[in-house]
């Protein structure tokens, strides 16, 4: 017996399902955590869901979506750890889209109403910093030449030491760290000197605001 995906949802049949599987699915339903925006987040647990066959997971996901849609829920978030990546396929068949991936998991989303989705896209900016290091006289600026990177090999190209901000790191701390890592010189943050923004995408394909710090 095969079960059809609900009308209006992309996808087709979920094969290999018997009535007993459907009954078991009703007794072991997917659980989600509601958010303040009318959405629900389901986080799969490898310890529990690794034993689920993809077809059985598909039936339980259909039942959950129908229930949440009936409650007026809107945005669905499905976090799938890499240990149960085999459960991604039935979610895609039921209209989920890839949102982002990080080491250890992938996040899928689905918008239930018949309106354009208002779910936020994944963060699309990266932030870099440069250190404008002055000597005691304030007349000379510390510059470097890269041995590897975007400007490596460019003849007579000198730049400020700098790089990307780490997660959870303050901008001023990142500038001090980058200068130390690239030159071995310990500096002290004073003020913001300038800010430039690049839409070229860079290696990560993101908008790149890049402040320079004295």
């Amino acid at each position: 017996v095969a079960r059809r995906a609900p009308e209006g949802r992309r996808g087709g049949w979920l094969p290999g399902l018997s009535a007993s599987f459907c009954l078991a699915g009703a007794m072991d339903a997917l659980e989600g955590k509601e958010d303040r925006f009318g959405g629900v987040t389901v986080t799969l647990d490898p310890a529990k869901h690794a034993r689920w066959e993809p077809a059985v997971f598909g039936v339980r996901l259909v039942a959950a979506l129908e229930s949440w849609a009936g409650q007026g829920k809107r945005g669905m978030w499905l976090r799938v750890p890499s240990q149960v990546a085999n459960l991604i396929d039935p979610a895609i068949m039921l209209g989920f889209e890839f949102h982002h991936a990080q080491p250890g998991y992938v996040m899928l989303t689905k918008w239930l109403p018949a309106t354009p989705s208002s779910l936020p896209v994944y963060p699309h900016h990266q932030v870099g910093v440069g250190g404008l290091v002055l000597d005691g006289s304030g007349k000379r600026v510390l510059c470097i030449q890269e041995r590897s990177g975007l400007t490596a090999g460019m003849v007579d190209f000198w730049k400020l030491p700098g790089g990307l901000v780490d997660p959870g790191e303050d901008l001023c701390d990142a500038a001090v760290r980058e200068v130390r890592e690239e030159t071995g010189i310990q500096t002290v943050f004073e003020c913001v000197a300038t800010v430039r923004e690049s839409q070229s995408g860079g290696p990560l394909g993101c908008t790149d605001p890049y402040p320079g710090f004295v």
Side-chain angles (χ1 to χ4, degrees), residues 4-43:
R4 185 98 163 92
E7 292 299 326
R9 296 192 176 116
R10 188 182 64 180
W13 298 89
L14 300 172
L17 300 175
S18 66
S20 61
F21 275 130
C22 295
L23 178 60
M27 298 172 61
D28 194 9
L30 284 170
E31 297 179 354
K33 182 178 180 181
E34 298 183 12
D35 60 39
R36 296 176 296 172
F37 306 99
V40 176
T41 298
V42 176
T43 301

Side-chain angles (χ1 to χ4, degrees), residues 14-198:
L14 300 172
L17 300 175
S18 66
S20 61
F21 275 130
C22 295
L23 178 60
M27 298 172 61
D28 194 9
L30 284 170
E31 297 179 354
K33 182 178 180 181
E34 298 183 12
D35 60 39
R36 296 176 296 172
F37 306 99
V40 176
T41 298
V42 176
T43 301
L44 299 186
D45 180 2
K48 175 181 179 181
H49 299 114
R51 70 177 187 271
W52 287 14
E53 292 295 329
V56 175
F57 171 68
V59 164
R60 294 173 180 174
L61 185 56
V62 167
L65 291 173
E66 290 175 342
S67 174
W68 289 322
Q71 298 171 37
K73 302 303 179 185
R74 303 188 301 165
M76 299 293 107
W77 300 82
L78 178 62
R79 181 182 173 120
V80 185
S82 55
Q83 298 96 319
V84 289
N86 60 314
L87 302 182
I88 294 175
D89 185 57
I92 295 298
M93 291 175 62
L94 292 170
F96 278 80
E97 301 282 352
F98 290 102
H99 187 266
H100 69 273
Q102 292 288 343
Y105 78 93
V106 62
M107 184 69 80
L108 307 175
T109 61
K110 180 175 175 60
W111 185 250
L112 294 183
T115 58
S117 174
S118 63
L119 292 176
V121 299
Y122 194 60
H124 44 76
H125 281 56
Q126 65 183 26
V127 180
V129 292
L132 182 62
V133 183
L134 304 175
D135 68 0
S137 69
K139 296 180 180 180
R140 296 192 299 174
V141 177
L142 177 66
C143 295
I144 65 170
Q145 285 185 310
E146 290 186 319
R147 295 179 179 177
S148 61
L150 297 177
T151 65
M154 298 178 65
V155 179
D156 291 332
F157 188 95
W158 295 84
K159 63 182 287 289
L160 300 179
L164 294 179
V165 179
D166 289 336
E169 186 177 34
D170 289 340
L171 297 179
C172 54
D173 293 337
V176 171
R177 174 184 55 77
E178 284 289 343
V179 171
R180 183 179 65 253
E181 290 178 353
E182 296 189 357
T183 69
I185 297 175
Q186 184 63 45
T187 58
V188 177
F189 167 77
E190 293 290 343
C191 65
V192 178
T194 184
V195 178
R196 71 107 172 98
E197 183 179 51
S198 172

